[in-house]
Amino acid sequence: MSTRHILLGLLASGPSHGYDLKRRHDERFPQARPLAYGQVYTTLQRLVRDGLAEVDGTDSDGGPERTTYRTTDQGARELGRWAGEIAPPAPFVANEIFAKVVVAILSGGDPAGYLSTQRAAHKERMRELTAVKAAEGADLATVLSADYALNHLDADLRWMSTTAARLTTLTAEVDAV
């Protein structure tokens, strides 16, 4: 996910300061990794540097000084371009789980045990996400984010089952190379 574009999107609704942008990000993308304040302010500085956002003003309201940012016309065009791009399907088929299975085979480890442990971790995360979805008052953004993650975890589980069933053949192929 592009933090740069997400912040531009959040700025599209009007000028905001970094603290508010971080809070709105965490509310709008509840299942995403929360943004660190440092990441927000660094990204805002880059957006200003690149002409995609500009400082709208500063205020303190009796507290620490806060800089308010707003998107520029160039930033709005960049956001529109990015939002309209088709997200490419994963370009590579290898993933970390597959790499660990192969490394377990190469190093004399226990690939079946690893897959079993990984499956348990995936199932636990699925239980957590199901509880998030079912929580009283869960908003649609939370439910949809959890659904997305659950579908990916389910695909991983199906892949792990298929791989576990083919470990003997995979081991022979890896050992033959």
Side-chain angles (χ1 to χ4, degrees):
M1 185 165 47
S2 169
T3 301
R4 166 188 184 101
H5 292 102
I6 296 301
L7 291 181
L8 276 175
L10 293 172
L11 283 172
S13 63
S16 297
H17 51 78
Y19 174 82
D20 188 45
L21 290 169
K22 187 242 186 298
R23 181 186 53 78
R24 287 176 32 218
H25 169 275
D26 294 350
E27 287 172 356
R28 299 264 190 254
F29 305 100
Q31 297 303 313
R33 176 178 291 147
L35 290 180
Y37 286 106
Q39 182 180 13
V40 170
Y41 288 106
T42 299
T43 303
L44 285 169
Q45 289 169 355
R46 289 182 186 140
L47 289 171
V48 169
R49 176 198 69 199
D50 296 342
L52 303 176
E54 61 190 10
V55 173
D56 190 55
T58 57
D59 61 53
S60 63
D61 289 333
E65 186 173 278
R66 290 188 177 164
T67 302
T68 303
Y69 299 86
R70 67 183 169 96
T71 190
T72 62
D73 289 342
Q74 182 182 348
R77 284 189 302 274
E78 169 64 16
L79 179 62
R81 183 200 59 73
W82 176 79
E85 285 180 351
I86 299 300
F92 306 105
V93 295
N95 63 47
E96 185 175 358
I97 298 169
F98 176 70
K100 288 182 178 185
V101 168
V102 172
V103 167
I105 293 168
L106 291 170
S107 65
D110 180 13
Y114 169 73
L115 285 170
S116 177
T117 302
Q118 187 64 58
R119 282 178 61 79
H122 269 56
K123 287 180 178 181
E124 177 58 30
R125 182 62 179 142
M126 290 176 88
R127 283 188 287 277
E128 292 168 3
L129 289 167
T130 300
V132 165
K133 280 179 49 169
E136 188 173 327
D139 62 10
L140 185 56
T142 298
V143 171
L144 290 173
S145 293
D147 281 342
Y148 183 85
L150 283 163
N151 280 301
H152 282 266
L153 290 167
D154 183 58
D156 284 350
L157 285 173
R158 285 182 279 130
W159 178 87
M160 284 184 253
S161 292
T162 301
T163 301
R166 297 175 175 169
L167 270 179
T168 302
T169 305
L170 179 62
T171 300
E173 287 182 9
V174 169
D175 287 344
V177 175

PDB file of all heavy atoms in Angstrom, residues 155-177:
ATOM      1  N   ALA A 155      -6.641 -18.991   1.167  1.00  0.00           N
ATOM      2  CA  ALA A 155      -5.875 -19.446   0.001  1.00  0.00           C
ATOM      3  C   ALA A 155      -4.531 -20.016   0.442  1.00  0.00           C
ATOM      4  O   ALA A 155      -4.082 -21.055  -0.073  1.00  0.00           O
ATOM      5  CB  ALA A 155      -5.672 -18.291  -0.983  1.00  0.00           C
ATOM      6  N   ASP A 156      -3.887 -19.369   1.398  1.00  0.00           N
ATOM      7  CA  ASP A 156      -2.625 -19.889   1.931  1.00  0.00           C
ATOM      8  C   ASP A 156      -2.824 -21.272   2.547  1.00  0.00           C
ATOM      9  O   ASP A 156      -2.008 -22.185   2.347  1.00  0.00           O
ATOM     10  CB  ASP A 156      -2.047 -18.965   3.006  1.00  0.00           C
ATOM     11  CG  ASP A 156      -1.392 -17.718   2.459  1.00  0.00           C
ATOM     12  OD1 ASP A 156      -1.201 -17.605   1.235  1.00  0.00           O
ATOM     13  OD2 ASP A 156      -1.051 -16.841   3.290  1.00  0.00           O
ATOM     14  N   LEU A 157      -3.905 -21.446   3.301  1.00  0.00           N
ATOM     15  CA  LEU A 157      -4.170 -22.748   3.929  1.00  0.00           C
ATOM     16  C   LEU A 157      -4.373 -23.839   2.879  1.00  0.00           C
ATOM     17  O   LEU A 157      -3.870 -24.954   3.030  1.00  0.00           O
ATOM     18  CB  LEU A 157      -5.400 -22.665   4.840  1.00  0.00           C
ATOM     19  CG  LEU A 157      -5.191 -21.955   6.171  1.00  0.00           C
ATOM     20  CD1 LEU A 157      -6.529 -21.789   6.900  1.00  0.00           C
ATOM     21  CD2 LEU A 157      -4.206 -22.702   7.047  1.00  0.00           C
ATOM     22  N   ARG A 158      -5.108 -23.513   1.817  1.00  0.00           N
ATOM     23  CA  ARG A 158      -5.306 -24.497   0.753  1.00  0.00           C
ATOM     24  C   ARG A 158      -3.977 -24.844   0.092  1.00  0.00           C
ATOM     25  O   ARG A 158      -3.692 -26.007  -0.188  1.00  0.00           O
ATOM     26  CB  ARG A 158      -6.328 -23.981  -0.272  1.00  0.00           C
ATOM     27  CG  ARG A 158      -7.756 -24.057   0.273  1.00  0.00           C
ATOM     28  CD  ARG A 158      -8.811 -23.605  -0.721  1.00  0.00           C
ATOM     29  NE  ARG A 158      -8.845 -22.140  -0.682  1.00  0.00           N
ATOM     30  CZ  ARG A 158      -8.787 -21.356  -1.743  1.00  0.00           C
ATOM     31  NH1 ARG A 158      -8.711 -21.858  -2.957  1.00  0.00           N
ATOM     32  NH2 ARG A 158      -8.818 -20.053  -1.619  1.00  0.00           N
ATOM     33  N   TRP A 159      -3.139 -23.824  -0.123  1.00  0.00           N
ATOM     34  CA  TRP A 159      -1.822 -24.064  -0.710  1.00  0.00           C
ATOM     35  C   TRP A 159      -0.977 -24.939   0.215  1.00  0.00           C
ATOM     36  O   TRP A 159      -0.290 -25.858  -0.235  1.00  0.00           O
ATOM     37  CB  TRP A 159      -1.117 -22.731  -0.988  1.00  0.00           C
ATOM     38  CG  TRP A 159       0.249 -22.925  -1.547  1.00  0.00           C
ATOM     39  CD1 TRP A 159       0.592 -23.083  -2.859  1.00  0.00           C
ATOM     40  CD2 TRP A 159       1.469 -23.034  -0.807  1.00  0.00           C
ATOM     41  NE1 TRP A 159       1.942 -23.274  -2.978  1.00  0.00           N
ATOM     42  CE2 TRP A 159       2.508 -23.248  -1.722  1.00  0.00           C
ATOM     43  CE3 TRP A 159       1.779 -22.964   0.550  1.00  0.00           C
ATOM     44  CZ2 TRP A 159       3.833 -23.388  -1.344  1.00  0.00           C
ATOM     45  CZ3 TRP A 159       3.096 -23.099   0.937  1.00  0.00           C
ATOM     46  CH2 TRP A 159       4.106 -23.315  -0.013  1.00  0.00           C
ATOM     47  N   MET A 160      -1.024 -24.677   1.515  1.00  0.00           N
ATOM     48  CA  MET A 160      -0.242 -25.480   2.465  1.00  0.00           C
ATOM     49  C   MET A 160      -0.706 -26.932   2.464  1.00  0.00           C
ATOM     50  O   MET A 160       0.125 -27.850   2.547  1.00  0.00           O
ATOM     51  CB  MET A 160      -0.323 -24.883   3.875  1.00  0.00           C
ATOM     52  CG  MET A 160       0.541 -23.652   4.054  1.00  0.00           C
ATOM     53  SD  MET A 160       0.502 -23.044   5.761  1.00  0.00           S
ATOM     54  CE  MET A 160      -0.486 -21.589   5.540  1.00  0.00           C
ATOM     55  N   SER A 161      -1.995 -27.171   2.352  1.00  0.00           N
ATOM     56  CA  SER A 161      -2.507 -28.549   2.301  1.00  0.00           C
ATOM     57  C   SER A 161      -2.009 -29.262   1.052  1.00  0.00           C
ATOM     58  O   SER A 161      -1.563 -30.415   1.106  1.00  0.00           O
ATOM     59  CB  SER A 161      -4.038 -28.557   2.315  1.00  0.00           C
ATOM     60  OG  SER A 161      -4.512 -28.121   3.561  1.00  0.00           O
ATOM     61  N   THR A 162      -2.064 -28.568  -0.078  1.00  0.00           N
ATOM     62  CA  THR A 162      -1.586 -29.145  -1.334  1.00  0.00           C
ATOM     63  C   THR A 162      -0.085 -29.435  -1.243  1.00  0.00           C
ATOM     64  O   THR A 162       0.385 -30.502  -1.666  1.00  0.00           O
ATOM     65  CB  THR A 162      -1.863 -28.182  -2.505  1.00  0.00           C
ATOM     66  OG1 THR A 162      -3.271 -27.958  -2.569  1.00  0.00           O
ATOM     67  CG2 THR A 162      -1.367 -28.730  -3.821  1.00  0.00           C
ATOM     68  N   THR A 163       0.655 -28.503  -0.696  1.00  0.00           N
ATOM     69  CA  THR A 163       2.109 -28.670  -0.572  1.00  0.00           C
ATOM     70  C   THR A 163       2.439 -29.828   0.367  1.00  0.00           C
ATOM     71  O   THR A 163       3.324 -30.635   0.074  1.00  0.00           O
ATOM     72  CB  THR A 163       2.755 -27.362  -0.095  1.00  0.00           C
ATOM     73  OG1 THR A 163       2.441 -26.336  -1.044  1.00  0.00           O
ATOM     74  CG2 THR A 163       4.256 -27.496   0.031  1.00  0.00           C
ATOM     75  N   ALA A 164       1.739 -29.905   1.484  1.00  0.00           N
ATOM     76  CA  ALA A 164       1.985 -31.000   2.427  1.00  0.00           C
ATOM     77  C   ALA A 164       1.748 -32.351   1.753  1.00  0.00           C
ATOM     78  O   ALA A 164       2.507 -33.311   1.969  1.00  0.00           O
ATOM     79  CB  ALA A 164       1.100 -30.849   3.659  1.00  0.00           C
ATOM     80  N   ALA A 165       0.734 -32.423   0.917  1.00  0.00           N
ATOM     81  CA  ALA A 165       0.440 -33.681   0.213  1.00  0.00           C
ATOM     82  C   ALA A 165       1.502 -34.018  -0.831  1.00  0.00           C
ATOM     83  O   ALA A 165       1.630 -35.177  -1.226  1.00  0.00           O
ATOM     84  CB  ALA A 165      -0.936 -33.586  -0.457  1.00  0.00           C
ATOM     85  N   ARG A 166       2.271 -33.039  -1.255  1.00  0.00           N
ATOM     86  CA  ARG A 166       3.285 -33.244  -2.298  1.00  0.00           C
ATOM     87  C   ARG A 166       4.717 -33.151  -1.769  1.00  0.00           C
ATOM     88  O   ARG A 166       5.660 -33.065  -2.559  1.00  0.00           O
ATOM     89  CB  ARG A 166       3.098 -32.198  -3.391  1.00  0.00           C
ATOM     90  CG  ARG A 166       1.772 -32.308  -4.111  1.00  0.00           C
ATOM     91  CD  ARG A 166       1.616 -31.177  -5.086  1.00  0.00           C
ATOM     92  NE  ARG A 166       0.416 -31.315  -5.887  1.00  0.00           N
ATOM     93  CZ  ARG A 166      -0.063 -30.355  -6.657  1.00  0.00           C
ATOM     94  NH1 ARG A 166       0.553 -29.201  -6.748  1.00  0.00           N
ATOM     95  NH2 ARG A 166      -1.151 -30.553  -7.356  1.00  0.00           N
ATOM     96  N   LEU A 167       4.897 -33.172  -0.471  1.00  0.00           N
ATOM     97  CA  LEU A 167       6.238 -32.993   0.109  1.00  0.00           C
ATOM     98  C   LEU A 167       7.238 -34.054  -0.342  1.00  0.00           C
ATOM     99  O   LEU A 167       8.414 -33.747  -0.556  1.00  0.00           O
ATOM    100  CB  LEU A 167       6.178 -32.960   1.641  1.00  0.00           C
ATOM    101  CG  LEU A 167       5.990 -31.584   2.264  1.00  0.00           C
ATOM    102  CD1 LEU A 167       5.921 -31.685   3.778  1.00  0.00           C
ATOM    103  CD2 LEU A 167       7.056 -30.605   1.834  1.00  0.00           C
ATOM    104  N   THR A 168       6.804 -35.263  -0.472  1.00  0.00           N
ATOM    105  CA  THR A 168       7.726 -36.326  -0.890  1.00  0.00           C
ATOM    106  C   THR A 168       8.299 -36.008  -2.265  1.00  0.00           C
ATOM    107  O   THR A 168       9.526 -36.069  -2.484  1.00  0.00           O
ATOM    108  CB  THR A 168       7.014 -37.699  -0.902  1.00  0.00           C
ATOM    109  OG1 THR A 168       6.512 -37.945   0.401  1.00  0.00           O
ATOM    110  CG2 THR A 168       7.948 -38.800  -1.328  1.00  0.00           C
ATOM    111  N   THR A 169       7.429 -35.620  -3.199  1.00  0.00           N
ATOM    112  CA  THR A 169       7.869 -35.280  -4.546  1.00  0.00           C
ATOM    113  C   THR A 169       8.740 -34.018  -4.536  1.00  0.00           C
ATOM    114  O   THR A 169       9.771 -33.958  -5.190  1.00  0.00           O
ATOM    115  CB  THR A 169       6.670 -35.106  -5.489  1.00  0.00           C
ATOM    116  OG1 THR A 169       5.873 -36.276  -5.442  1.00  0.00           O
ATOM    117  CG2 THR A 169       7.106 -34.806  -6.913  1.00  0.00           C
ATOM    118  N   LEU A 170       8.316 -32.997  -3.794  1.00  0.00           N
ATOM    119  CA  LEU A 170       9.099 -31.762  -3.705  1.00  0.00           C
ATOM    120  C   LEU A 170      10.475 -32.032  -3.128  1.00  0.00           C
ATOM    121  O   LEU A 170      11.478 -31.531  -3.623  1.00  0.00           O
ATOM    122  CB  LEU A 170       8.340 -30.711  -2.871  1.00  0.00           C
ATOM    123  CG  LEU A 170       9.070 -29.379  -2.679  1.00  0.00           C
ATOM    124  CD1 LEU A 170       9.307 -28.691  -4.033  1.00  0.00           C
ATOM    125  CD2 LEU A 170       8.286 -28.474  -1.735  1.00  0.00           C
ATOM    126  N   THR A 171      10.533 -32.829  -2.083  1.00  0.00           N
ATOM    127  CA  THR A 171      11.820 -33.153  -1.452  1.00  0.00           C
ATOM    128  C   THR A 171      12.746 -33.846  -2.468  1.00  0.00           C
ATOM    129  O   THR A 171      13.918 -33.507  -2.567  1.00  0.00           O
ATOM    130  CB  THR A 171      11.610 -34.034  -0.199  1.00  0.00           C
ATOM    131  OG1 THR A 171      10.808 -33.305   0.721  1.00  0.00           O
ATOM    132  CG2 THR A 171      12.932 -34.397   0.439  1.00  0.00           C
ATOM    133  N   ALA A 172      12.201 -34.776  -3.219  1.00  0.00           N
ATOM    134  CA  ALA A 172      13.005 -35.473  -4.236  1.00  0.00           C
ATOM    135  C   ALA A 172      13.509 -34.478  -5.277  1.00  0.00           C
ATOM    136  O   ALA A 172      14.681 -34.554  -5.689  1.00  0.00           O
ATOM    137  CB  ALA A 172      12.185 -36.585  -4.887  1.00  0.00           C
ATOM    138  N   GLU A 173      12.666 -33.561  -5.709  1.00  0.00           N
ATOM    139  CA  GLU A 173      13.091 -32.577  -6.714  1.00  0.00           C
ATOM    140  C   GLU A 173      14.140 -31.623  -6.158  1.00  0.00           C
ATOM    141  O   GLU A 173      15.129 -31.318  -6.830  1.00  0.00           O
ATOM    142  CB  GLU A 173      11.886 -31.776  -7.226  1.00  0.00           C
ATOM    143  CG  GLU A 173      10.981 -32.557  -8.140  1.00  0.00           C
ATOM    144  CD  GLU A 173       9.824 -31.719  -8.678  1.00  0.00           C
ATOM    145  OE1 GLU A 173       9.810 -30.485  -8.477  1.00  0.00           O
ATOM    146  OE2 GLU A 173       8.927 -32.328  -9.303  1.00  0.00           O
ATOM    147  N   VAL A 174      13.944 -31.156  -4.934  1.00  0.00           N
ATOM    148  CA  VAL A 174      14.912 -30.221  -4.323  1.00  0.00           C
ATOM    149  C   VAL A 174      16.244 -30.926  -4.100  1.00  0.00           C
ATOM    150  O   VAL A 174      17.324 -30.368  -4.396  1.00  0.00           O
ATOM    151  CB  VAL A 174      14.358 -29.640  -3.004  1.00  0.00           C
ATOM    152  CG1 VAL A 174      15.439 -28.902  -2.233  1.00  0.00           C
ATOM    153  CG2 VAL A 174      13.172 -28.719  -3.287  1.00  0.00           C
ATOM    154  N   ASP A 175      16.211 -32.165  -3.633  1.00  0.00           N
ATOM    155  CA  ASP A 175      17.442 -32.908  -3.385  1.00  0.00           C
ATOM    156  C   ASP A 175      18.172 -33.264  -4.671  1.00  0.00           C
ATOM    157  O   ASP A 175      19.390 -33.427  -4.674  1.00  0.00           O
ATOM    158  CB  ASP A 175      17.148 -34.200  -2.602  1.00  0.00           C
ATOM    159  CG  ASP A 175      16.802 -33.912  -1.142  1.00  0.00           C
ATOM    160  OD1 ASP A 175      17.083 -32.788  -0.655  1.00  0.00           O
ATOM    161  OD2 ASP A 175      16.232 -34.804  -0.479  1.00  0.00           O
ATOM    162  N   ALA A 176      17.445 -33.356  -5.799  1.00  0.00           N
ATOM    163  CA  ALA A 176      18.047 -33.746  -7.070  1.00  0.00           C
ATOM    164  C   ALA A 176      18.814 -32.600  -7.726  1.00  0.00           C
ATOM    165  O   ALA A 176      19.646 -32.821  -8.599  1.00  0.00           O
ATOM    166  CB  ALA A 176      16.985 -34.260  -8.026  1.00  0.00           C
ATOM    167  N   VAL A 177      18.533 -31.384  -7.348  1.00  0.00           N
ATOM    168  CA  VAL A 177      19.170 -30.217  -7.982  1.00  0.00           C
ATOM    169  C   VAL A 177      20.530 -29.943  -7.406  1.00  0.00           C
ATOM    170  O   VAL A 177      20.905 -30.104  -6.353  1.00  0.00           O
ATOM    171  CB  VAL A 177      18.268 -28.965  -7.845  1.00  0.00           C
ATOM    172  CG1 VAL A 177      18.958 -27.730  -8.393  1.00  0.00           C
ATOM    173  CG2 VAL A 177      16.961 -29.179  -8.541  1.00  0.00           C
TER     174      VAL A 177
END
